[in-house]
């Protein structure tokens, strides 16, 4: 259960807008619902939904929301507002045009749900135009600085686990080694959590070097002690495409015969978990409270169980590191 901030309303807003941007994540819908309902119930008269992230903003693709427009979406994956990548938004003059579109509609503040790229756009937008912006961390990667958790991470981990449990069955029947690739170009948060929870023999993450020879030795020892030759290696996809194939090739050279399973986009979809629905609802409601309390240029996030505000400047300049102790558990428990 999250500890919510106690905030006093000091500002009035008549009209606000919401957008979802960048890679979608399960839980964006409950966040949209929470923002919309909390806004109406806090005395804000108009809530707008901007379609397709910053792309919809610059193209004036904006719709009026009602309390009913967010009925029955709390359990749905994806985002009803759609998401998109919009390179034009990196241009300062385009951001000025976007601000004019909001002002012409009387929209006084913006909520942005998305990953670190979306938070960068949000920070520049408010800094240059003065329109208040509050961000919500929406990404399966859990790689946003300042927040222990992000909307969609828990669901993605559970989706991967469900798949790996099934792979484990066939791996054991045929005494096979499987390389399972999970998402994570720059970070191994998903791989580490999935690896611990599925009992993986090894976890490969972009943050740390891995020792293939040690793995082969472990596999040989397991065979020698009658523990079988099946196993799961969880690999975060990393920056360079084809990493999992390269590891498989190296393993083959060491006499192994691994199979590959790339989980891919299934990790982005699906009904948000109870945890992510709670997180999105608490962050959404708190984001509205922060706006009414006069905060701007912040992201709402979680710190040791409490909902907190983090300056967007900090979010976009710092990096979130993988906890080495947590990662070490992956090797501590596999033998
Ligand atoms: P995510 O938010 O999931 O990290 P991206 O990195 O693709 O996804 O960013 C989503 C969108 O945020 C981009 O398409 C762009 O519109 C906006 N954005 C990203 N980086 C910047 C930037 N440096 N300046 C302005 N806008 C940006």
């Amino acid at each position: 259960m999250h500890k919510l901030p106690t905030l006093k309303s000091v500002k009035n807003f008549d009209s606000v807008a919401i957008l979802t941007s960048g890679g979608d994540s399960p839980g964006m819908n409950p966040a949209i619902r929470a923002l919309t309902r909390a806004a109406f119930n806090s005395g804000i008269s108009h809530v707008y939904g901007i379609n397709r992230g910053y792309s919809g903003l610059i193209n004036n693709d904006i719709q009026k929301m009602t309390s009913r427009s967010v009925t029955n979406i709390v359990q749905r994956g994806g985002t009803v507002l759609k998401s998109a990548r919009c390179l034009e938004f990196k241009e300062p003059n385009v951001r000025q045009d976007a601000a004019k579109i909001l002002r012409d509609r009387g929209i006084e503040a913006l909520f942005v749900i998305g990953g670190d790229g979306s938070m960068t756009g949000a920070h520049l937008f408010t800094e240059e135009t003065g329109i208040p912006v509050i961000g919500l961390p929406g990404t399966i990667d859990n790689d946003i600085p300042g927040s222990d958790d992000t909307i969609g991470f828990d669901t993605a981990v559970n989706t991967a686990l469900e798949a790996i449990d099934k792979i484990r069955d066939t791996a054991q029947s045929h005494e096979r080694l499987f390389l399972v690739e999970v998402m994570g170009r720059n970070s191994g948060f998903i791989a580490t959590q999935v690896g611990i929870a599925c009992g993986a023999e090894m976890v490969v993450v972009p943050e740390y070097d891995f020792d293939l020879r040690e793995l082969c030795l472990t596999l040989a020892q397991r065979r020698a002690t009658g523990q079988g030759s099946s196993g799961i290696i969880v690999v975060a996809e990393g920056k360079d495409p084809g990493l999992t194939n390269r590891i498989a090739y190296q393993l083959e050279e060491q006499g192994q015969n691994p199979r590959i399973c790339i989980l891919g986009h299934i990790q982005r979809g699906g009904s948000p978990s109870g945890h992510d629905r709670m997180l999105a609802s608490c962050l959404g409601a708190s984001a509205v409270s922060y706006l009414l309390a006069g905060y701007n240029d912040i992201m709402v996030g979680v710190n040791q169980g409490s909902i907190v505000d983090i300056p967007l400047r900090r979010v976009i300049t710092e990096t979130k590191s993988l906890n080495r102790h947590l990662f070490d558990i992956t090797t501590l428990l596999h033998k």
Side-chain angles (χ1 to χ4, degrees), residues 1-5 148-149 274-283 286 301-307:
M1 198 68 81
H2 295 109
K3 188 166 175 292
L4 300 171
D148 296 340
D149 202 358
H275 175 93
D276 276 331
R277 294 184 205 189
M278 273 296 289
L279 176 65
S281 302
C282 292
L283 288 177
S286 303
V302 182
N303 186 341
Q304 299 187 2
S306 296
I307 304 286

Side-chain angles (χ1 to χ4, degrees), residues 156 159-161 163-164 167 178-185 190-191 194 202 204 232-248 259-267:
T159 302
L161 281 176
I164 293 175
I167 294 167
F178 271 81
L179 292 168
V180 183
E181 184 179 294
V182 297
M183 280 191 167
R185 284 212 182 103
I190 294 181
V194 165
M202 187 178 183
V204 179
I232 301 284
I233 301 176
V234 175
V235 184
E237 62 186 323
K239 268 199 204 86
D240 306 322
L243 171 68
T244 310
N245 283 299
R246 283 196 297 280
I247 296 173
R259 296 287 190 273
I260 293 177
C261 183
I262 296 175
L263 297 186
H265 282 79
I266 67 159
Q267 294 157 94

Side-chain angles (χ1 to χ4, degrees), residues 21-24 28 52-55 83-92 95 112-125 138-141 143-144 268 316:
S21 164
D24 67 333
M28 284 184 161
R52 297 177 187 83
Y54 294 121
S55 170
S83 190
R85 295 201 155 91
C86 171
L87 292 180
E88 298 99 303
F89 202 70
K90 294 188 175 178
E91 303 296 328
R95 293 194 288 270
V112 174
I113 310 165
D116 54 354
S118 304
M119 295 304 125
T120 305
H123 169 68
L124 294 172
F125 183 69
T139 166
I140 62 166
D141 293 324
D143 59 350
I144 302 199
R268 287 249 183 100
I316 65 173

